[in-house]
Amino acid sequence: MFAYVVKRLLSLIPVLVGISMITFLILRLTPGDPAEAYLRLSQIPPTEAAVAAVREELGLDRPLIVQYGDWLVKALTLDFGKSYATHRPVWDEMMFLLPATVQLAGVSLVFTLVLSIPMGIFSALYKDGWFDNFCRFIAFTSAAMPNFWLGFMLMYFFALKLDLLPTLGRGSWAHFILPALTLSFSYIATYVRLLRTSMLENLEQPFVLYARARGLQESLVIGRHVLKNALLPLVTALGMSIGHLLSGSVIVESVFSWPGIGRFCVSAILNRDYPVVQCFVLMMAVVFVIANLFVDIAYAWLDPRIRLKGESS
Amino acid sequence: MSETTKALNKCKRVAAVLIAGMLLVSLLAGCGSQSGQTPATEKVLNFSWAKDIGSLNPHMYNPNQMFAQALVYESLVQYSDAGKIVPWLAESWTISPDGKEYIFKLRQDVKFSDGSAFNAAAVKKNFDAVLANGKRHDWLAFIRQIQETQVIDDHTFKLVLKDAYYPVLQELALIRPLRFLAPAAFPDNGNTGKGIKQPVGTGPWVLSEYKQGEVAVFVRNEHYWGPKPKVDKLVIKIIPDSESRVVAFEKQELNLLYGNGSISLDAFKQLQAAGQYETKLSEPLATRVLAINSNKGATKELKVRQALQHAVNKDAFVKGVLFGTEHKADTLLATNFPYCNLGLTPYEYSEDKARALLDEAGWKVVPGRDFREKDGQTLELEFCYESTNAIQKSVGEVLQGDLKKVGIKVKLTGEEQGSIDQRQKDGNFNIIYGDTWGAPYDPHSLVGSMREPAHADYQAQLGLPMKAELDKLASAVLVSTDETKRQELYRQIFTTLHEQAVYLPLSYLANLAVYPKNLSGVAFMGSQYEIPFGTIDIQ
């Protein structure tokens, strides 16, 4: 297992180099000049002289290959340069903003799991009952409901009308509830449907019949045999969700004024803030690869067939 | 089956505990959110801004936010109503007859918030720091013109220019880059372009707390020379979303909404209709305008450009899209701007006149076709706008609807800002949306930028037969030292542009303010970027 993990981590190197090159090129092929974007942000007319001065200051007047080489060498020491927009070191900005996003994503993940697993189990066990229909309704609603709208509705009722929760920002743990619920809502619906389907498939399997025939308690049959197997697709989805929760929280961060990385990076994309975008893409690549690695490890733990196959090979 | 039932009952119990736990968490959270209130005796003004305020370096630009820089730093002169320049840190000034020397008498009762004296040496130190980073400020013609700075005595400062440049005082009134940092707050190497030690100015406010991207708290500057702010604290909360800002305001977490674009116009209308808040709109501060390219396609023709002026129903646009919160614009700049009350005859809304002009230009109605044609070509114009901007998109839709009535096809091209910037530079548009610079930049910044090829203004005017003459007039007006001649030059420029129909002004932008009835002293300033928090009081 250790060798497998090391191998997977080493495979990150060519992935990151490839991604950095692609990101670097795509950014520069996209219309829009970061120097002009900076001037626009500063409310300075983009005269030729002003643009030239900013381009020189940002090092954009050098050949592309030199710019990339310079960036790559520095990136190896976690020096991702300075943000064009804020003039602060990108790594410092990321490390300052990342904890807020990680906290939000973490709480959302907890919400997702705590709500979706029992709901998924109940939906499967009470197939076509009122609870199953209720969960189906939630799933369809969440698919049709944009995040920002849900965020506003939750804010309107729970913060403004009922005055139960804070409206915006960060501070106490109460500030987590609305943004985390908004962020997790669509995942909850997906996971409930996923777990329900998987549970139903597993309930039909011969090993369930055999377990019951052995006289095992129903709670053991459901919990140890059916649920454990039914969780496999959920684990796969979870691996992808971690990356999405970290990188896709921009709308929730904007609605709830959450000072996280999503908001920062979307404005960086719009402002052609190359160093920020490059760093963000790399970070997300690492997150996705590591999350998938954890998924694979969890798979081996949950499914003995994979574990034993791995050990025998 | 009985085992299954037992298992299900167990699951039900678990679920019930979970749900009860969630509800408890919500209730406890509700209790928690009530804590942390400020003492009742302290007057706190809660305001919000979309972006972090930055490091408050007076000599630099983004991420420093102008309204926040203006809280801490002041200028030698101030831009007042109708563009009038009034004394501020300089109590008076004299200008040499050739317009090249300015001598400022500084106020003697001014101190920086750290208690140090504001004097001519501090003024020179700030000017010199800005000039040392001159490339960065090159966009401002005034900076390019400075030849020398001199301390005459402790409270007299002299500025020598290379050539006469009339908007010196207007540009000195800008929020950046020429406001004054206390000498003790300069970095050790003196290069403020790379950062400052701390934000210390002469302004009415002092930064007391700062959490990047979340909140900034300002308190009164006890050394302030002018009337001190009436509230004890000013809290700036960073709220990027305008609708969230409205909810926070309704929940009384904010007690002032102010500015242009700070909330949507329909939210403004809704708050106004609620009746429980005061709402205000400022005088025109800038213009929403469409630049019509005289150098591309059908808009090369004067009659087509003039037809566009008559074909767009601005009243309907203001009423339908802007909810009546702005005034219809008849001229490129509103008449309350300096040198802009010219008595130009507006283009009236008349579909018939538009049709007649298009007929005269040879663009004829072809039976069975929706749009006019000439030499087998359809009359199609491309309107380019920033796709994420709701108002620009609505402008496009209005334009498409109005121009279809007179037989013009409008192709809407919505792109992100970077691509729109590129089109402005290349002149790759028939019609493009823009806002004028507004107070205190206009009219001189607008006229100055018309000479810059990277500007949509330049590109739109490029097809005019008198473009070279216009550029000469623009250059002449900026160096003119004679007030009467200057007025005449502005008259010629704006009259020509009006007649040539290269701009289609839609409405005049204004700052808006919404606040609860227990707030008083909310006013607007001549400059659109400054917010007069100092005069606001809470009952």
Side-chain angles (χ1 to χ4, degrees):
Chain A
M1 182 60 84
F2 178 73
Y4 173 73
V5 172
V6 171
K7 196 176 149 194
R8 283 288 297 270
L9 288 176
L10 284 176
S11 74
L12 251 178
I13 296 169
V15 169
L16 292 183
V17 172
I19 285 176
S20 73
M21 284 175 78
I22 293 168
T23 315
F24 191 88
L25 281 174
I26 286 179
L27 279 173
R28 278 146 185 89
L29 290 172
T30 315
D33 185 341
E36 283 180 23
Y38 173 76
L39 292 170
R40 191 181 65 242
L41 280 177
S42 300
Q43 288 164 306
I44 297 174
T47 59
E48 277 174 37
V51 171
V54 176
R55 288 184 68 81
E56 190 186 328
E57 188 184 314
L58 302 180
L60 294 165
D61 53 341
R62 297 170 302 162
L64 269 190
I65 188 76
V66 176
Q67 287 182 47
Y68 179 69
D70 185 39
W71 176 83
L72 192 64
V73 169
K74 286 182 177 165
L76 291 174
T77 59
L78 296 184
D79 175 3
F80 290 92
K82 282 187 175 178
S83 157
Y84 295 166
T86 67
H87 291 282
R88 296 182 187 121
V90 173
W91 185 249
D92 293 357
E93 288 275 29
M94 291 289 184
M95 289 305 106
F96 179 79
L97 297 168
L98 191 63
T101 301
V102 169
Q103 285 169 2
L104 182 61
V107 176
S108 303
L109 203 61
V110 171
F111 274 22
T112 306
L113 294 177
V114 165
L115 291 172
S116 61
I117 292 177
M119 284 168 79
I121 296 169
F122 271 89
S123 291
L125 296 180
Y126 287 109
K127 183 172 173 274
D128 296 330
W130 70 266
F131 188 77
D132 188 27
N133 283 328
F134 169 72
C135 289
R136 190 175 293 137
F137 171 75
I138 296 280
F140 292 148
T141 315
S142 83
M145 196 158 40
N147 248 356
F148 71 88
W149 187 81
L150 174 68
F152 281 128
M153 287 298 108
L154 290 175
M155 192 194 286
Y156 184 76
F157 286 109
F158 290 101
L160 184 61
K161 290 292 162 192
L162 301 175
D163 199 18
L164 282 174
L165 293 165
T167 325
L168 305 160
R170 215 156 60 113
S172 69
W173 51 273
H175 286 86
F176 278 96
I177 296 178
L178 292 183
L181 205 58
T182 309
L183 194 56
S184 57
F185 194 69
S186 59
Y187 293 102
I188 291 170
T190 312
Y191 282 20
V192 169
R193 298 300 292 168
L194 208 61
L195 187 58
R196 176 188 178 274
T197 311
S198 182
M199 284 277 293
L200 288 173
E201 275 173 13
N202 278 286
L203 277 167
E204 300 294 319
Q205 295 296 316
F207 66 81
V208 175
L209 186 67
Y210 178 65
R212 281 176 177 155
R214 281 193 293 149
L216 287 181
Q217 280 189 345
E218 189 64 13
S219 58
L220 277 181
V221 175
I222 301 290
R224 189 173 293 172
H225 294 278
V226 179
L227 182 61
K228 200 172 170 187
N229 281 294
L231 281 176
L232 287 174
L234 207 71
V235 170
T236 313
L238 198 68
M240 300 307 286
S241 304
I242 291 171
H244 285 137
L245 279 168
L246 287 172
S247 61
S249 55
V250 57
I251 291 171
V252 173
E253 286 179 6
S254 288
V255 169
F256 291 99
S257 304
W258 195 267
I261 208 166
R263 228 167 72 187
F264 180 59
C265 292
V266 167
S267 58
I269 292 167
L270 293 174
N271 295 324
R272 301 287 182 273
D273 197 342
Y274 295 163
V276 174
V277 180
Q278 279 162 208
C279 181
F280 180 69
V281 172
L282 278 192
M283 277 174 67
M284 285 306 121
V286 172
V287 167
F288 271 91
V289 170
I290 289 180
N292 279 300
L293 178 62
F294 277 119
V295 167
D296 291 349
I297 294 168
Y299 245 76
W301 175 69
L302 286 169
D303 190 342
R305 289 168 301 183
I306 296 172
R307 188 169 61 235
L308 294 173
K309 193 178 159 194
E311 280 170 9
S312 65
S313 65
Chain B
M1 276 309 285
S2 63
E3 285 297 325
T4 311
T5 315
K6 274 184 193 171
L8 291 177
N9 285 338
K10 196 176 171 186
C11 289
K12 272 184 197 171
R13 281 199 296 275
V14 172
V17 169
L18 280 173
I19 291 166
M22 292 286 293
L23 286 172
L24 191 65
V25 162
S26 295
L27 284 172
L28 286 173
C31 299
S33 69
Q34 304 299 318
S35 62
Q37 288 173 350
T38 47
T41 50
E42 195 176 46
K43 288 183 179 179
V44 181
L45 182 61
N46 289 296
F47 182 67
S48 81
W49 198 250
K51 290 180 180 177
D52 181 67
I53 60 164
S55 61
L56 293 182
N57 182 338
H59 302 161
M60 289 305 284
Y61 305 91
N62 192 71
N64 300 287
Q65 298 299 300
M66 285 208 264
F67 89 96
Q69 287 170 306
L71 297 174
V72 176
Y73 306 105
E74 295 179 295
S75 48
L76 289 177
V77 295
Q78 198 178 57
Y79 185 93
S80 186
D81 294 335
K84 195 179 167 202
I85 298 295
V86 297
W88 207 250
L89 292 180
E91 58 187 9
S92 64
W93 57 88
T94 52
I95 307 170
S96 65
D98 64 357
K100 289 186 182 178
E101 288 185 7
Y102 286 68
I103 295 175
F104 295 94
K105 280 275 173 203
L106 307 179
R107 292 186 68 97
Q108 301 206 6
D109 54 349
V110 180
K111 280 184 177 174
F112 288 102
S113 61
D114 62 357
S116 60
F118 170 77
N119 53 26
V123 172
K124 181 173 166 55
K125 190 174 174 72
N126 276 270
F127 264 84
D128 292 349
V130 169
L131 292 173
N133 199 14
K135 249 186 178 178
R136 172 56 99 181
H137 312 293
D138 199 43
W139 66 278
L140 205 57
F142 161 57
I143 300 286
R144 295 198 299 269
Q145 293 296 346
I146 298 175
Q147 187 174 56
E148 200 184 342
T149 58
Q150 290 173 20
V151 174
I152 304 287
D153 63 40
D154 206 29
H155 287 93
T156 312
F157 172 73
K158 184 177 176 184
L159 197 60
V160 182
L161 304 182
K162 293 171 197 159
D163 296 301
Y165 179 68
Y166 100 80
V168 164
L169 296 175
Q170 280 79 357
E171 294 190 359
L172 273 176
L174 295 178
I175 293 171
R176 57 199 187 193
L178 274 167
R179 292 199 174 188
F180 304 100
L181 177 72
F186 271 65
D188 293 334
N189 64 5
N191 184 359
T192 52
K194 297 288 178 195
I196 59 170
K197 280 185 182 165
Q198 52 183 323
V200 182
T202 60
W205 299 95
V206 180
L207 183 69
S208 68
E209 275 175 65
Y210 172 61
K211 267 173 124 180
Q212 190 188 331
E214 292 185 54
V215 71
V217 181
F218 292 85
V219 293
R220 275 193 291 247
N221 172 8
E222 295 304 335
H223 295 286
Y224 191 51
W225 58 275
K228 291 196 175 65
K230 294 190 167 73
V231 296
D232 302 289
K233 255 186 194 174
L234 170 63
V235 179
I236 312 289
K237 299 178 181 178
I238 310 305
I239 304 179
D241 189 275
S242 61
E243 300 306 324
S244 306
R245 198 171 294 136
V246 173
V247 175
F249 176 75
E250 287 183 303
K251 207 190 165 190
Q252 296 168 14
E253 289 176 4
L254 300 176
N255 40 14
L256 177 66
L257 299 171
Y258 189 104
N260 183 272
S262 60
I263 58 171
S264 63
L265 296 175
D266 52 339
F268 177 76
K269 238 12 209 179
Q270 193 187 323
L271 292 169
Q272 198 172 40
Q276 58 192 112
Y277 307 111
E278 297 287 343
T279 54
K280 268 188 182 175
L281 277 170
S282 74
E283 289 289 299
L285 293 167
T287 314
R288 295 185 194 276
V289 63
L290 304 178
I292 306 172
N293 196 341
S294 63
N295 198 35
K296 189 174 187 235
T299 45
K300 277 182 179 174
E301 299 170 54
L302 175 61
K303 284 191 166 42
V304 173
R305 298 198 299 271
Q306 287 172 333
L308 295 181
Q309 307 282 340
H310 288 294
V312 176
N313 187 348
K314 297 178 195 175
D315 285 318
F317 167 72
V318 168
K319 197 176 165 196
V321 177
L322 305 176
F323 300 95
T325 55
E326 292 179 11
H327 295 289
K328 182 179 83 166
D330 287 326
T331 50
L332 179 55
L333 293 178
T335 51
N336 64 334
F337 278 79
Y339 312 107
C340 292
N341 193 359
L342 302 170
L344 298 171
T345 310
Y347 290 93
E348 59 175 314
Y349 170 58
S350 165
E351 288 175 28
D352 291 339
K353 280 192 178 170
R355 288 192 189 98
L357 282 160
L358 292 172
D359 284 336
E360 284 173 36
W363 292 97
K364 302 288 184 193
V365 176
V366 180
R369 304 270 172 87
D370 284 339
F371 302 107
R372 290 168 182 265
E373 290 183 7
K374 182 160 87 173
D375 304 328
Q377 263 200 321
T378 304
L379 180 50
E380 179 177 320
L381 305 178
E382 186 179 24
F383 172 67
C384 305
Y385 66 98
E386 199 190 321
S387 54
T388 51
N389 185 311
I391 288 190
Q392 291 190 28
K393 194 175 173 207
S394 301
V395 168
E397 286 157 1
V398 167
L399 207 59
Q400 203 171 39
D402 283 353
L403 297 193
K404 189 180 177 186
K405 289 180 196 164
V406 296
I408 302 174
K409 186 178 182 181
V410 175
K411 180 185 170 196
L412 300 181
T413 304
E415 292 172 344
E416 60 168 333
Q417 180 79 54
S419 306
I420 294 294
D421 286 349
Q422 194 60 42
R423 283 178 180 273
Q424 293 192 352
K425 247 168 64 171
D426 302 342
N428 186 13
F429 60 89
N430 285 118
I431 307 170
I432 202 160
Y433 179 93
D435 296 332
T436 55
W437 283 97
Y441 295 95
D442 287 332
H444 68 274
S445 292
L446 175 69
V447 166
S449 66
M450 287 173 183
R451 302 169 302 169
E452 293 288 344
H455 273 251
D457 299 295
Y458 178 91
Q459 296 294 337
Q461 295 171 16
L462 205 53
L464 298 181
M466 67 293 285
K467 174 61 181 160
E469 180 60 24
L470 272 174
D471 287 352
K472 272 186 200 162
L473 291 172
S475 298
V477 78
L478 295 176
V479 299
S480 150
T481 52
D482 181 327
E483 188 71 19
T484 318
K485 191 181 164 201
R486 192 181 305 150
Q487 175 67 72
E488 182 49 34
L489 289 166
Y490 272 123
R491 175 182 295 281
Q492 285 181 43
I493 293 168
F494 286 118
T495 306
T496 306
L497 292 173
H498 187 75
E499 286 169 359
Q500 290 299 315
V502 275
Y503 293 101
L504 173 47
L506 294 170
S507 67
Y508 295 126
L509 285 159
N511 269 340
L512 53 83
V514 187
Y515 49 96
K517 291 189 189 290
N518 67 341
L519 232 66
S520 59
V522 179
F524 297 106
M525 296 182 77
S527 158
Q528 62 178 318
Y529 303 107
E530 294 195 53
I531 307 174
F533 293 112
T535 58
I536 296 174
D537 199 3
I538 301 172
Q539 311 306 322

